[in-house]
Amino acid sequence: MTDPIRPATSRRIAALAFPALGVLAAEPLYLLFDLAVVGRLGALSLAGLAIGALIMSVLSSQLTFLSYGTTARAARFYGAGDRTAAVSEGVQATWLALGVGAAIVLTVQLTAEPLVSVLAGGSDQGGIAAAALPWVRIASFGVPAILTAAAGNGWMRGVQDTVRPLRYVVFGFSMSAVLCPLLVYGWLGAPELGLAGSAVANLVGQWVAAALFVRALVVEKVPLRPQPPVLRAQLVMGRDLVVRTLAFQVCFVSAGAVAARFGAAAVAAHQVVLQLWSFLALVLDSLAIAAQSLVGAALGAGQLQHAKTVAWRVTIFSAVAGAVLAALCAVGAAVLPGLFTHDRSVLDQIGVPWWFLVGQLPVAGIVFALDGVLLGAGDARFMRTATVISALAGFLPLIWLSLAFGWGLLGIWSGLSTFMLLRLLFVGWRAFSGRWLVPGTH
């Protein structure tokens, strides 16, 4: 097998990061395509998709410990030379994914109508809630599949295999991309489902990818039964990561809900730029994935200096990448928004968040790299506390002041920028302190 503690050369980091980039970029890239398809139906459908996508993002990403926590635990076992234990982490994470996913589906079916109504502004804002509701009900059945794929990505990254997840994810999203315009517009004899067709296309691709990840576990020939001690250990790490993710989601749900109060054009513009922001953030996060895998393996093998070398090398690469992406977005400011919608009212609103996006990217390059280092080290408790404080002190006050004083997207994106700067201070301090350098498999 590949030696998990070879020198962290640029080539080795790239060999892990580029396939991880494909996996991370696949979903937001598909969602940008989905936005472009639905955007041709008009501002109302685009706003309905924005509300629906916000709910699905919360549901699927709230349990990120199924990927990030599994990577950290699997990588330490892999670094210690125990591949079977590393893969077993994936088995247990998959059981958690299926169980929790089924519970989420039931909850969404029972609460979808009031939830969508609240996010759309209560007064239905010209039909946004009515447009979003069918999409949410259909798309929620994909949550167990999304979580299963997250668990699969987690253990495979832990054993430094980022190529197979790329194949599985690309295949699933390719199926969705083919089906989406067919079902939305009724092309080639397919039923014309409108916005609901987007949800059906998503669902098919998600379950195909999940089936491939389950098959990968089966061929490893490790025990597939649930193991309560491992499940408990994953849940202990997951507890802090869930709180951290909840802080993110409270911020983004609040931002989407406040944007909806300013009308369909505002929430649609917010969603377009936020989706692009998410895509570029995950592009940068591909380097952080390499850091997670290599740092976890180095700590599992007890090689602390190697872990430090990976941390600083990845951070430098990611900072440069963030600056390059910022420059590209600045140059394309007059052209890129038109790829997602032709609606003039939406385009008129995009300018403000667009330039916030440009300014945030260099900071994000550093923050996401150090996030990867600390997550790879299993430093979940600190990450939880830092994120919660940044949300309470930075993002949320500006979001709700924007609603109170009518600041619109300017106030919302000011909050996001403050959030990023506070996170930079926290993770930078932690990285320099060295307190994350804890050797061993636990």
Side-chain angles (χ1 to χ4, degrees), residues 196-262:
S198 161
V200 174
N202 292 350
L203 194 64
V204 172
Q206 287 157 357
W207 276 106
V208 167
L212 292 172
F213 279 109
V214 170
R215 180 180 178 275
L217 283 174
V218 172
V219 301
E220 289 281 342
K221 298 182 179 179
V222 299
L224 298 179
R225 64 183 181 278
Q227 298 178 23
V230 179
L231 290 171
R232 282 195 297 269
Q234 289 189 349
L235 288 171
V236 168
M237 175 174 281
R239 176 193 60 203
D240 293 327
L241 293 178
V242 164
V243 173
R244 175 178 181 263
T245 304
L246 181 61
F248 281 118
Q249 297 307 326
V250 168
C251 290
F252 289 120
V253 168
S254 297
V258 171
R261 267 63 174 185
F262 295 104

Side-chain angles (χ1 to χ4, degrees), residues 155-178:
W155 75 262
M156 287 185 177
R157 291 169 185 168
V159 300
Q160 299 183 13
D161 180 358
T162 54
V163 174
R164 280 191 296 166
L166 175 61
R167 294 174 186 156
Y168 301 161
V169 170
V170 168
F171 186 73
F173 281 120
S174 295
M175 292 194 65
S176 294
V178 170

Side-chain angles (χ1 to χ4, degrees), residues 73-410:
R73 289 178 55 81
R76 283 181 180 259
F77 283 116
Y78 184 66
D82 191 347
R83 181 185 172 91
T84 298
V87 176
S88 294
E89 293 290 332
V91 173
Q92 304 312 308
T94 300
W95 281 115
L96 287 175
L98 292 172
V100 174
I104 290 174
V105 171
L106 178 61
T107 301
V108 170
Q109 295 304 314
L110 294 174
T111 63
E113 189 168 352
L115 179 60
V116 167
S117 179
V118 168
L119 291 176
S123 61
D124 202 12
Q125 290 290 322
I128 297 175
L133 184 59
W135 192 98
V136 170
R137 289 196 183 279
I138 296 168
S140 68
F141 285 99
V143 173
I146 294 170
L147 299 182
T148 297
N153 269 289
W155 75 262
M156 287 185 177
R157 291 169 185 168
V159 300
Q160 299 183 13
D161 180 358
T162 54
V163 174
R164 280 191 296 166
L166 175 61
R167 294 174 186 156
Y168 301 161
V169 170
V170 168
F171 186 73
F173 281 120
S174 295
M175 292 194 65
S176 294
V178 170
L179 289 173
C180 186
L182 298 183
L183 296 176
V184 170
Y185 303 138
W187 289 349
L188 301 180
E192 185 177 352
L193 301 178
L195 180 57
S198 161
V200 174
N202 292 350
L203 194 64
V204 172
Q206 287 157 357
W207 276 106
V208 167
L212 292 172
F213 279 109
V214 170
R215 180 180 178 275
L217 283 174
V218 172
V219 301
E220 289 281 342
K221 298 182 179 179
V222 299
L224 298 179
R225 64 183 181 278
Q227 298 178 23
V230 179
L231 290 171
R232 282 195 297 269
Q234 289 189 349
L235 288 171
V236 168
M237 175 174 281
R239 176 193 60 203
D240 293 327
L241 293 178
V242 164
V243 173
R244 175 178 181 263
T245 304
L246 181 61
F248 281 118
Q249 297 307 326
V250 168
C251 290
F252 289 120
V253 168
S254 297
V258 171
R261 267 63 174 185
F262 295 104
V267 72
H270 171 73
Q271 178 64 20
V272 167
V273 181
L274 184 62
Q275 198 63 63
L276 183 59
W277 184 92
S278 298
F279 169 63
L280 296 177
L282 292 179
V283 170
L284 295 172
D285 208 31
S286 64
L287 289 166
I289 294 301
Q292 282 183 261
S293 180
L294 294 172
V295 165
L299 293 176
Q303 296 201 8
L304 304 188
Q305 184 56 47
H306 181 69
K308 290 173 67 176
T309 299
V310 170
W312 299 120
R313 188 180 292 269
V314 170
T315 301
I316 291 170
F317 288 171
S318 189
V320 172
V324 170
L325 291 174
L328 292 174
C329 287
V331 171
V335 177
L336 293 176
L339 298 177
F340 309 116
T341 181
H342 296 312
D343 191 294
R344 188 69 255 171
S345 63
V346 178
L347 291 172
D348 288 342
Q349 295 271 358
I350 281 180
V352 170
W354 191 273
W355 290 106
F356 275 102
L357 167 72
V358 171
Q360 287 173 19
L361 283 170
V363 175
I366 300 172
V367 171
F368 298 149
L370 293 178
D371 275 355
V373 169
L374 298 179
L375 288 170
D379 200 6
R381 182 176 299 179
F382 172 80
M383 298 297 291
R384 173 206 65 195
T385 303
T387 304
V388 169
I389 293 174
S390 297
L392 294 176
F395 203 152
L396 291 175
L398 284 168
I399 293 296
W400 295 110
L401 286 172
S402 297
L403 177 62
F405 294 101
W407 294 343
L409 295 182
L410 176 64

